[in-house]
Amino acid sequence: MFPESNPYFSVPHAFDVYLSLWPKDTPLPTESQLLAMQSTGLKLMSEVKALEAGCLLQLRQLGDEGRAIVDYLKLQSRKIDLVLQHVLEQESREGQHCPGVQFGGSGVRVQLPQALDAGTFCKLTLFIRDEILSLQCIASVRECRADPDHEGQFLADLDYRVIQDADIELLVKASLSVQQKQLKRRKASQDPNWHEPA
């Protein structure tokens, strides 16, 4: 289970969400039950990401001698991630497709065609393509309001309630990566002579 309040950083970013309402008379799943509910593709992606993180952490301890190996393995890992992402995109989707507009380690903001009551539990499958991240979790609606920029649409803030610890780490890393890319783009647009350091 996820703690009630957890002020992780959140970043605006477009991604895909598939949302299913969790049945009101059904208890929330445990983390192991949530894992069992995942598709084969999602399980593979999670396992690969966890193995990759552990191996790269050990290799970084080699210092400068291991830098070339780390860079090569990152490239290989990215190729595997892209293949798995393609496999996941071919799988049938459960739930209603909703555009995600913001994510972080505590929750997400999604755009909906209808309002949801605060406290409503939902099963979410997130696909953050730019970060090659796909995961499933249970979340609850913290707030839902009319979208000021899109008539007839609503913005819902959902907090994670059941999620794998490894997925939280991946979401935090992905949100920081997205923010870093946004800051670089902003810097480049303000200063045309600026170049990212090598």
Side-chain angles (χ1 to χ4, degrees):
M1 290 292 181
F2 198 79
E4 283 299 317
S5 62
N6 208 323
Y8 279 116
F9 168 76
S10 185
V11 64
H13 186 70
F15 59 101
D16 292 309
V17 179
Y18 289 85
L19 181 149
S20 304
L21 295 180
W22 190 256
K24 290 183 180 178
D25 55 349
T26 304
L28 293 181
T30 62
E31 285 184 32
S32 58
Q33 289 169 334
L34 178 68
L35 189 59
M37 291 164 44
Q38 291 182 354
S39 68
T40 303
L42 278 173
K43 286 177 184 171
L44 278 171
M45 183 68 96
S46 294
E47 287 177 31
V48 166
K49 290 280 192 184
L51 288 169
E52 168 191 309
C55 289
L56 289 177
L57 185 64
Q58 290 177 359
L59 285 170
R60 282 195 182 103
Q61 295 173 355
L62 295 174
D64 289 339
E65 301 86 30
R67 175 168 278 178
I69 296 171
V70 169
D71 290 343
Y72 175 75
L73 289 177
K74 278 184 178 177
L75 177 64
Q76 297 305 311
S77 173
R78 181 156 179 84
K79 288 195 284 190
I80 292 168
D81 289 348
L82 287 168
V83 170
L84 284 173
Q85 187 74 26
H86 177 72
V87 169
L88 280 172
E89 288 175 359
Q90 306 312 308
E91 290 184 342
S92 59
R93 307 283 201 265
E94 180 187 332
Q96 177 181 18
H97 176 258
C98 307
V101 295
Q102 188 166 317
F103 77 93
S106 299
V108 294
R109 177 174 294 160
V110 299
Q111 188 182 65
L112 301 170
Q114 72 281 331
L116 291 176
D117 294 332
T120 300
F121 288 102
C122 306
K123 182 172 81 169
L124 305 178
T125 306
L126 311 180
F127 294 95
I128 306 172
R129 188 169 287 111
D130 294 349
E131 297 300 314
I132 314 178
L133 177 57
S134 305
L135 62 95
Q136 197 169 74
C137 64
I138 304 295
S140 65
V141 177
R142 176 167 30 92
E143 180 185 5
C144 189
R145 61 198 178 283
D147 185 339
D149 300 321
H150 300 91
E151 188 175 348
Q153 299 289 306
F154 297 86
L155 291 174
D157 291 325
L158 297 108
D159 296 325
Y160 307 130
R161 291 292 174 238
V162 186
I163 187 170
Q164 306 295 323
D165 288 341
D167 287 340
I168 294 171
E169 288 182 34
L170 292 172
L171 284 160
V172 170
K173 287 178 184 174
S175 64
L176 292 172
S177 172
V178 166
Q179 185 193 41
Q180 187 177 38
K181 290 172 187 172
Q182 290 173 348
L183 290 172
K184 285 177 182 175
R185 281 196 299 268
R186 189 177 308 147
K187 179 73 174 170
S189 68
Q190 291 172 352
D191 181 0
N193 297 319
W194 182 83
H195 296 285
E196 182 180 345

